[in-house]
Amino acid sequence: MASSRKPAHRADPSAGLTDKVAQALQAGAAFVVSGHGARAGTVAVALSGGRDSVALLHALRAAVASSSLPLRVVGLHVHHGLQAQADEWDVFCASLCRDWQLPFYSRRVTVNQQHGEGLEAAARRARYAALEAMCDEAGAELLLFAHHLDDQVETVLLRLFRGSGLAGLGGMPRLRRLGARQQIVLLRPWLDVARDDIDAYCAAHALAWIDDPSNDDPRFARNALRGQMPALVAAFPALRANVAQAAAHLAQAGELLDGLAMQLMAGLVRPPRDAGTIAELDLAGLRALSPAQADTVLRLWLRDLGTQAPSTARLSAMRAQLIEHEGGEPAIHHEALVLHRFQGRVLARHAGPAIASGDLALAAWQGEASLAVPAWHGELRFTRDDTYGLPEAALRQPLRLAARQGGERIVLRPGGPARALKQAYQEAGVPMARRARLPLLWAGGQLVFAAGLGMHRRWPGAPASPRWRIEWVEWTRA
């Protein structure tokens, strides 16, 4: 439902709020230059259609129009589908951008709650992923959020009530990099602006917006706290300013701690050995740290990999299973990553889509250069190699892909012994979690190829026929 409420008269804050946006643009553009060596040409606003984001988009247009920055302004809307009015909000945002002659991007998301995750957290994770994707689509390297002083105070208090650590109590940063590639700069130009000032800005410019009825639902923690804020402010008039100041002090302390953790982590980072691994840490070095130091390094490492910080309990479980315990190859899921311990290293891999289980019959091979296997998210490639390849007669038999069942053996060099696959994978340095994503190729009843290892090399009495080398290529994760 559209709103255009007019609060009690107060001085027009338009110039001040627009100036803050302009200053943020300058800082953000400089940050992009320092990180990527080129000025961003497009700046986006996360546009929900609510009062704050509508005001920010309006102020951004004014700031860009009055500045010398060659910036293109776009609106980005995430359709969560969690409210009956979600379609109306999408239409409202599209109409607003059309009226203001701004490009508009919208993306629908499905909010799936992970284990132990609340609805708000799941929606936030989906929202950030969608915004990152739309920034890539629009070519935006600057993304503005309309969070303000009241939002910051509520965030800090909620995190305090939930027992957050130093990083959480520092509140929302004014400027940071976003996404797995860290190529998008997130700006919050109004973190020191009160909600009442944004109300006044909307009244001064006769702006219309939409009201989300869930903002009045006390079942959500933020709304429950917001309902208590008037009484708290009445008892402690300086509450907002003091909480924001405390958050700034804690954020500064957090930056110092991150600097120390960065120094520790620098000596532990190892180049990934495995094609499916995106990052590695040295296990012996982690074990030499105190629990507090190890927790700090893990938290920073995960943040640099583009994930949210794990809870204290989850971080403790990661340390215990990955660092402190001996034996086995534990795997811990965290958002879109899976963390493993393997051969003296802690590895991070993309969780990836689900892999097929059981046997999968393939179309008869007719000499194609490749056979795509979507169920395994990859393809088999065949190259003529009459010296070291497999006999073509073997490949003309019925082919099937299957997961390891245990007990399989393979000969990896001519004249060599038959080896257990488990032992061969261990000696090749292939982590257990990756093995589960590597299929075996069978021709008739014979294992002919093990992805990640190679081809079977023992073919007694094989006829003199063309031979073919086989490779398995995993499709790149989207």
Side-chain angles (χ1 to χ4, degrees):
M1 179 178 183
S3 301
S4 58
R5 297 185 298 270
K6 293 187 177 182
H9 176 75
R10 36 187 311 166
D12 180 7
S14 298
L17 268 62
T18 304
D19 286 347
K20 289 180 182 295
V21 173
Q23 292 164 11
L25 290 178
Q26 293 284 356
F31 201 47
V32 169
V33 169
S34 69
H36 301 288
R39 182 181 295 276
T42 299
V43 56
V45 168
L47 181 65
S48 69
R51 175 204 56 204
D52 304 333
S53 63
V54 168
L56 179 60
L57 185 62
H58 184 274
L60 174 62
R61 289 176 66 238
V64 169
S66 61
S67 74
S68 60
L69 290 174
L71 293 174
R72 167 177 169 258
V73 177
V74 301
L76 311 181
H77 179 73
V78 180
H79 186 305
H80 296 87
L82 296 176
Q83 299 283 350
Q85 304 93 332
D87 289 341
E88 297 175 20
W89 300 342
D90 186 271
V91 170
F92 173 86
C93 292
S95 176
L96 181 70
C97 288
R98 184 174 58 252
D99 291 345
W100 289 352
Q101 298 182 327
L102 299 175
F104 174 70
Y105 297 80
S106 177
R107 181 160 297 205
R108 291 173 180 256
V109 299
T110 301
V111 179
N112 294 316
Q113 293 173 252
Q114 296 179 349
H115 178 69
E117 184 179 44
L119 180 62
E120 292 173 282
R124 180 172 59 250
R125 179 170 48 79
R127 179 165 59 253
Y128 273 84
L131 288 169
E132 182 183 358
M134 285 188 286
C135 280
D136 287 343
E137 183 182 354
E141 288 187 308
L142 298 176
L143 174 62
L144 272 60
F145 277 62
H147 296 122
H148 47 72
L149 176 62
D150 297 70
D151 292 329
Q152 180 76 304
V153 171
E154 291 164 4
T155 296
V156 173
L157 290 177
L158 283 172
R159 292 177 178 176
L160 176 64
F161 298 158
R162 291 166 175 165
S164 294
L166 189 61
L169 294 178
M172 296 179 287
R174 186 177 298 273
L175 181 151
R176 72 174 177 91
R177 294 199 183 277
L178 175 69
R181 297 187 304 278
Q182 301 286 284
Q183 292 180 333
I184 301 166
V185 176
L186 189 157
L187 303 170
R188 295 183 174 97
W190 286 349
L191 271 186
D192 58 352
V193 173
R195 180 182 285 117
D196 288 348
D197 288 335
I198 298 176
D199 266 336
Y201 182 96
C202 291
H205 294 279
L207 300 181
W209 63 91
I210 56 176
D211 284 322
D212 182 349
S214 69
N215 289 337
D216 298 321
D217 188 343
R219 292 177 298 175
F220 295 106
R222 185 176 292 273
N223 297 339
L225 173 61
R226 189 173 296 155
Q228 304 301 318
M229 287 299 294
L232 288 171
V233 172
F236 304 96
L239 182 142
R240 290 189 179 91
N242 289 345
V243 170
Q245 184 180 52
H249 291 323
L250 291 167
Q252 187 177 46
E255 290 176 4
L256 294 174
L257 189 61
D258 282 352
L260 295 175
M262 190 73 74
Q263 295 177 25
L264 292 172
M265 190 174 72
L268 302 177
V269 173
R270 298 289 181 266
R273 300 185 206 175
D274 178 70
T277 301
I278 59 173
E280 296 187 6
L281 292 177
D282 178 67
L283 181 58
L286 283 169
R287 285 175 169 164
L289 302 178
S290 69
Q293 290 174 324
D295 283 353
T296 303
V297 168
L298 282 176
R299 184 185 291 112
L300 181 64
W301 187 55
L302 290 170
R303 188 192 71 185
D304 287 351
L305 292 176
T307 71
Q308 294 290 319
S311 67
T312 301
R314 186 128 181 94
L315 192 62
S316 178
M318 289 178 181
R319 170 168 40 81
Q321 296 182 46
L322 297 172
I323 301 175
E324 297 173 349
H325 291 178
E326 300 283 352
E329 297 179 26
I332 298 179
H333 286 257
H334 180 63
E335 295 188 0
L337 299 179
V338 183
L339 309 182
H340 312 276
R341 182 181 69 231
F342 182 68
Q343 294 186 341
R345 297 165 287 154
V346 173
L347 317 177
R349 294 174 51 81
H350 290 301
I355 289 296
S357 60
D359 290 359
L360 179 68
L362 302 181
W365 185 68
Q366 302 294 334
E368 298 95 336
S370 65
L371 286 177
V373 191
W376 278 86
H377 307 289
E379 60 189 62
L380 291 162
R381 292 184 181 174
F382 303 87
T383 306
R384 182 75 177 262
D385 185 345
D386 290 339
T387 303
Y388 298 108
L390 296 173
E392 182 174 303
L395 294 175
R396 293 295 185 180
Q397 301 181 62
L399 299 179
R400 63 186 176 89
L401 279 185
R404 289 174 56 227
Q405 299 299 316
E408 299 94 345
R409 301 180 71 82
I410 191 170
V411 176
L412 291 172
R413 60 182 177 83
R419 311 283 302 286
L421 281 182
K422 179 179 180 180
Q423 180 183 6
Y425 274 123
Q426 288 175 336
E427 292 178 357
V430 180
M432 182 183 296
R434 176 159 166 73
R435 294 173 219 162
R437 308 185 67 78
L438 296 174
L440 306 182
L441 178 65
W442 298 79
Q446 172 67 55
L447 174 64
V448 298
F449 173 75
L453 290 176
M455 298 177 293
H456 183 67
R457 300 291 189 173
R458 181 180 294 170
W459 292 95
S465 66
R467 291 174 176 261
W468 297 84
R469 185 171 68 251
I470 304 175
E471 296 175 284
W472 173 252
V473 179
E474 288 184 272
W475 290 335
T476 303
R477 179 179 182 269

